[in-house]
Amino acid sequence: MVPTPPAALVLADRLSAALASSVTVPLGLDLAAVAAGAVFGALLALRRALDITGVLGLAIVGGLGGGVVRDVLLDQPPVALADAAYLPTAIGAGLAVALVGHALARVDRLLEVVDAFALGLFAIVGASKALDAGLGPVASATVGVVAATTGGIACDVLSGQRPHVLGPGPIYAWAAVAGSAAYVAVDELIGSVPFAVAAAMAATVVLRWLAIHRGL
Amino acid sequence: MVPTPPAALVLADRLSAALASSVTVPLGLDLAAVAAGAVFGALLALRRALDITGVLGLAIVGGLGGGVVRDVLLDQPPVALADAAYLPTAIGAGLAVALVGHALARVDRLLEVVDAFALGLFAIVGASKALDAGLGPVASATVGVVAATTGGIACDVLSGQRPHVLGPGPIYAWAAVAGSAAYVAVDELIGSVPFAVAAAMAATVVLRWLAIHRGL
Amino acid sequence: MVPTPPAALVLADRLSAALASSVTVPLGLDLAAVAAGAVFGALLALRRALDITGVLGLAIVGGLGGGVVRDVLLDQPPVALADAAYLPTAIGAGLAVALVGHALARVDRLLEVVDAFALGLFAIVGASKALDAGLGPVASATVGVVAATTGGIACDVLSGQRPHVLGPGPIYAWAAVAGSAAYVAVDELIGSVPFAVAAAMAATVVLRWLAIHRGL
């Protein structure tokens, strides 16, 4: 471990550049997305009767999967590995669900709410990081959609289910499209990150609510 | 969005370098691969009775998935995000299938033909980009195989099917191997891209035809 | 193929840097992991009654999948493409299993042993390369776990099975966690690579043995 190899220097430089570039969306929003995604994965594991290994596994995959794929698409080192707060956030959220989850009377309902928030948060952070990386509006919204849907797809595949993202039934991917597009549109047209975050969350949550309760 | 972060500059430099390096295979061939892959994904979604969300979702995955994984393996930013023509090509192909697909009398037969062309085109572009990136012949053919098979595997997994790439039944992966190997061999030995493209397409399509109609 | 594009130069520089940085864990250990993972994948394919395409396919995925994802997470070009020894190692191991596999009386038992060794070897190389790349101890152990479990997950998904990594049943992911954590702990605290390798292999194999034979 003594000699510092060239590759480590290169990676360290790129890590600090990647961290410094996250100026528009606060770190807390990404960690909130991680927590929401991890709670979603852990609840899904409970509903599918997985044991503690499955609960923690899906918490990590649901909390970190979308962000890792997002960073790989942006050709950046995954912030989930570079920042020490990410893994404990996902594991902590998974442990919390494992402890209190069985006492929850209506896991299905909670799952829907957490899912909508995770979807919106990952769409926002994904679109924002893509814009920061210099991608155009359509590509940035695409990254938001991929970041928002990947964690759930991976949880479905790992627990042996057909991914629900492709339907049929309540539209899911469209809420991620609406949230990502709303973020990019408000950010590009108005230039305000807080307004863009609010518009994206509103679009995602309203669409998910309509999808589930109005059969849209 | 005001200050240009260092990471954006680095990414922009690498994007332009990546785009400039695509000299041997014309961009049109990659977009043809995207269109064929998207038509394949959309037809697969129709055959599996998915709704419009599923048709568009599998069109995007089938059209862009193989290329994104190829570019990640080559440690390049995905051209599907860097070039604005890719996503509309995939969505347009998916929409076209959604509009006329139900009128097609023989989806299965069309699926086979489109699949063979997508397989050959992705093998060609994958092997060519890998050679351009400085990889050796075996590694370049491997990238071609991965690029050619990934979109179909992802479509199968997302629609809840066991990936057909591993058989049993008509050999599928071997057509990708033959196409990629033919491209690399002709390119390296003769040095002609048009001949390499023709040899690879011929190898892939003939092997698929033999596999389906002669039970090879 | 005549003009050397800028991207090739960049990739070549990064390849040589990445290769030069692999100083702490000998290359042979990574190739042993590839061989063990390939034998695991091929045996799994035999048990699931796949044909020769499936045996070779799962040998390649089981042998190279974990390392490719590891290198992508570390933002390095996959060594499986950069080094010409990797693909032949995986294919050779798969062919060997295809030739003698049906004569093996107890595939299940052999599968367990090979699986434990593949798990430990991939955990060691993953954690070691992550430490070399400048990641912290927790992130490095995480990379080890991902490298160790990804090949098996991909083999399960490709052969249409629910991934066994999430249980229920004998704990699997925990053996990878123990091996990766043991490697990082011994490497960081004692600074000896041979001791770290021994500790990680012991932790992984003992935990797998306990899991299978003591129902842990």
Side-chain angles (χ1 to χ4, degrees), chain B residues 22 65 76 95 98 125 128 134 153 156 182 191:
Chain B
S22 301
Q76 294 176 2
L95 277 177
V125 180
S128 166
I153 291 173
D156 283 334

Side-chain angles (χ1 to χ4, degrees), chain A residues 14 17-18 21 24 72-75 131-135 138-139 142-143 153 157 162-163 165-169 171 173-174 187-188, chain B residues 1 3 5-8 10-12 14-15 48 50-51 53-54 56-58 68 72 75-78 81-82 87 157-160:
Chain A
R14 299 188 58 203
S21 77
T24 54
V72 168
L73 286 179
L74 296 176
D75 207 14
L131 288 171
D132 285 358
L135 291 182
V138 175
T142 305
V143 172
I153 290 173
V157 169
R162 169 176 162 168
V165 67
L166 292 182
I171 52 173
W174 296 104
D187 183 291
E188 297 286 283
Chain B
M1 220 50 33
V10 171
L11 186 58
R14 300 188 58 201
L15 281 177
R48 288 173 186 171
L50 299 182
D51 61 13
T53 305
L56 289 182
L58 290 196
V68 167
V72 168
D75 207 14
Q76 294 176 2
L81 293 173
L87 185 64
V157 170
L158 282 176
S159 58

Side-chain angles (χ1 to χ4, degrees), chain B residues 118-176:
Chain B
L119 205 64
L121 289 166
F122 275 117
I124 290 166
V125 180
S128 166
K129 284 192 81 165
L131 288 170
D132 285 357
L135 291 182
V138 174
S140 296
T142 306
V143 172
V145 174
V146 172
T149 54
T150 295
I153 291 173
C155 285
D156 283 334
V157 170
L158 282 176
S159 58
Q161 304 280 322
R162 168 175 162 167
H164 59 297
V165 69
L166 291 182
I171 51 171
Y172 186 85
W174 295 104

Side-chain angles (χ1 to χ4, degrees), chain A residues 4-16, chain C residues 21 132-134:
Chain A
T4 307
L9 283 178
V10 170
L11 186 58
D13 279 352
R14 299 188 58 203
L15 281 178
S16 56
Chain C
S21 77
D132 285 357

